Amino acid sequence: MYDYLIIGAGLFGSVFAYEATKRGKSCLVIDKRDHIGGNVYTEKIEDIHVHKYGAHIFHTNDKATWDYINQFAEFNRYTNSPIANYKGELYNLPFNMNTFNKLWGVTTPAEAKQKIKEQREAAKITDPSNLEEQAISLVGTDIYKKLIKGYTEKQWGRAATELPAFIIKRLPVRFTYDNNYFNDRFQGIPIGGYTSIIEKMLEGIDVKLNIDFFQNRNELEPLAHKVVFTGMIDQYYDYQYGVLDYRSLHFETKVLKDIENYQGNAVINYTDRETSYTRIIEHKHFEFGTQNTTVITEEYPKEWEPGDTPYYPINDAHNNEIYRKYKALADKETNVIFGGRLATYKYYDMHQVIAAALTTVQKEFITY
Ligand code: FAD
Ligand code: UDP
């Protein structure tokens, strides 16, 4: 009998397993995939750490979270500065003075602000209520049309007017010449890849891969006193309040044997509607690689269907209402803990998952 059966060897499950084990508890971690790490999984190809589930850049403003992850890896000095390619025109991201200068020829922050103000006023937006209105109100209609609308609508498979405003607020808007995608104090890529972090967290813990909880529920549940569940909460409750929508992805990874440097940057976003992928990742640039070959991944968004991996929750009003009902059920459980991106239906980044897992640990192991 284990103290905890942990469903999902992603970041949430692994942090929980590590902390519980540190406190003398026994854990069994299972995952339906054939590897640990969930979506942060990296695999070495041509001596390059390939981010198998899309670009993962660690960033946080919280010193405690930064110190926590640094127990498991040393981080390099990588700073995320994606480039947007709109039909062959290149722009710096996030939206900053370099972007405004390229687009409008403006050179001062005052000129850029004036341009945005004029476009916001012309669009008559006072109280933004969806992603489109929020974007126009932050950066004006020109940037919205070239760098946001096409990318957003293919990424989410929905009109930008039907998407929540918070999604676009993830991106900084700056009136300085600073191409850093994040505002956070701490940022980098773990030297040695993310998988090695998860390996360290799970060292000495029983892990079983290629096991789907729902196909083995009757045998698995009796194995532990408590369950930590990091899969889809709607599936856990047998979809009784309806199916939650997710956005899925499809990745095409290519080894380019004779190319040393394919695109000159780790991340290039294709912001037009017609190009079917949203971005191309060139993995070696995350770690300043000097190999003679390179590995790239094209990222194609798609609607989630049963059997697909659910990557992004769709936090619109309809889905949030369904989630609220599942959460009410989850809150009543005494022996099941729900955590991570899928079980709490939240658009969490890695640092938020770690913080949430540590909060869960604190609650679970509170000593009076
Ligand atoms: P997951 O990693 O999804 O782990 C859940 C695990 O549970 C999975 O391994 C799954 O196989 C397993 N599981 C589910 N159901 C079952 C079941 N029934 N039985 C057995 N196992 C099951 N964050 C950042 O901070 N920076 C970034 O740059 C960044 N980029 C991203 C890019 C992409 C394309 C995506 C999709 C996410 C990105 N993230 C990024 C977010 C990051 O991936 C997540 O915050 C983090 O991986 C979530 O961890 P988790 O443990 O909650 O979930
Ligand atoms: N976005 C955009 N154009 C870009 C990059 C991002 O319109 O070039 C929008 C898009 O709606 C996206 C959101 O900003 O879903 C958040 O971007 P982020 O890079 O944080 O997305 P993630 O890496 O989580 O997929």
Side-chain angles (χ1 to χ4, degrees), residues 93-299:
L93 292 174
F95 314 116
N96 73 82
M97 283 305 295
N98 289 307
T99 331
F100 307 141
N101 171 262
K102 177 91 190 260
L103 193 68
W104 298 317
V106 296
T107 54
T108 67
E111 288 171 309
K113 283 183 184 170
Q114 179 58 28
K115 200 86 187 156
I116 291 171
K117 184 167 172 269
E118 283 164 18
Q119 298 196 352
R120 183 193 307 127
E121 284 172 1
K124 296 191 170 51
I125 293 163
T126 45
D127 187 15
S129 66
N130 58 50
L131 196 155
E132 175 171 297
E133 292 178 2
Q134 183 67 64
I136 293 173
S137 127
L138 285 172
V139 288
T141 35
D142 289 344
I143 291 185
Y144 173 67
K145 281 184 194 152
K146 286 194 169 181
L147 303 184
I148 298 176
K149 185 175 163 60
Y151 185 99
T152 295
E153 296 194 346
K154 67 183 167 184
Q155 163 72 2
W156 296 99
R158 283 156 178 75
T161 47
E162 285 166 25
L163 287 163
F166 85 86
I167 294 178
I168 200 69
K169 289 200 205 147
R170 287 169 59 86
L171 274 53
V173 178
R174 271 191 212 116
F175 295 90
T176 53
Y177 291 91
D178 176 0
N179 295 328
N180 185 345
Y181 203 58
F182 302 114
N183 283 327
D184 290 341
R185 274 173 77 194
F186 308 104
Q187 173 173 189
I189 298 286
I191 296 166
Y194 287 95
T195 304
S196 147
I197 293 182
I198 304 291
E199 276 166 2
K200 286 187 191 140
M201 288 177 178
L202 296 178
E203 205 178 308
I205 297 171
D206 287 350
V207 177
K208 290 202 165 90
L209 299 174
N210 299 307
I211 297 188
D212 189 323
F213 173 67
F214 296 107
Q215 279 164 22
N216 301 275
R217 200 168 182 160
N218 293 340
E219 299 92 82
L220 288 168
E221 274 175 341
L223 295 181
H225 297 292
K226 276 190 152 185
V227 166
V228 176
F229 181 77
T230 74
M232 299 189 299
I233 191 166
D234 52 343
Q235 188 177 17
Y236 186 89
Y237 287 114
D238 210 12
Y239 305 106
Q240 58 183 278
Y241 296 130
V243 176
L244 287 167
D245 293 323
Y246 300 90
R247 202 67 186 145
S248 192
L249 299 169
H250 163 70
F251 297 99
E252 291 259 337
T253 294
K254 296 175 185 164
V255 177
L256 306 178
K257 280 275 185 201
D258 301 323
I259 297 180
E260 187 234 320
N261 184 1
Y262 174 73
Q263 62 180 19
N265 205 38
V267 183
I268 300 200
N269 291 359
Y270 288 78
T271 58
D272 63 300
R273 186 68 191 83
E274 294 74 33
T275 306
S276 48
Y277 42 80
T278 46
R279 37 192 175 189
I280 298 185
I281 312 304
E282 187 171 10
H283 301 269
K284 69 192 301 179
H285 296 309
F286 287 124
E287 44 192 17
F288 314 105
T290 53
Q291 301 85 347
N292 293 326
T293 50
T294 196
V295 183
I296 61 163
T297 302
E298 293 161 355
E299 187 174 319

Side-chain angles (χ1 to χ4, degrees), residues 7-14 30-33 35-40 53-59 80 170 182 194 211-214 229-232 235 249 251 279 299 310-312 339-342 348-353:
I7 296 140
L11 199 50
F12 189 98
S14 302
I30 65 151
D31 204 296
K32 63 181 176 188
R33 296 185 186 179
H35 59 75
I36 57 170
N39 290 339
V40 309
Y53 301 96
H56 276 76
I57 301 104
F58 197 92
H59 60 98
N80 198 29
R170 287 169 59 86
F182 302 114
Y194 287 95
I211 297 188
D212 189 323
F213 173 67
F214 296 107
F229 181 77
T230 74
M232 299 189 299
Q235 188 177 17
L249 299 169
F251 297 99
R279 37 192 175 189
E299 187 174 319
Y311 288 102
Y312 293 91
R341 226 187 210 206
L342 300 174
Y348 271 154
D349 278 335
M350 292 180 278
H351 60 292
Q352 295 164 312
V353 169

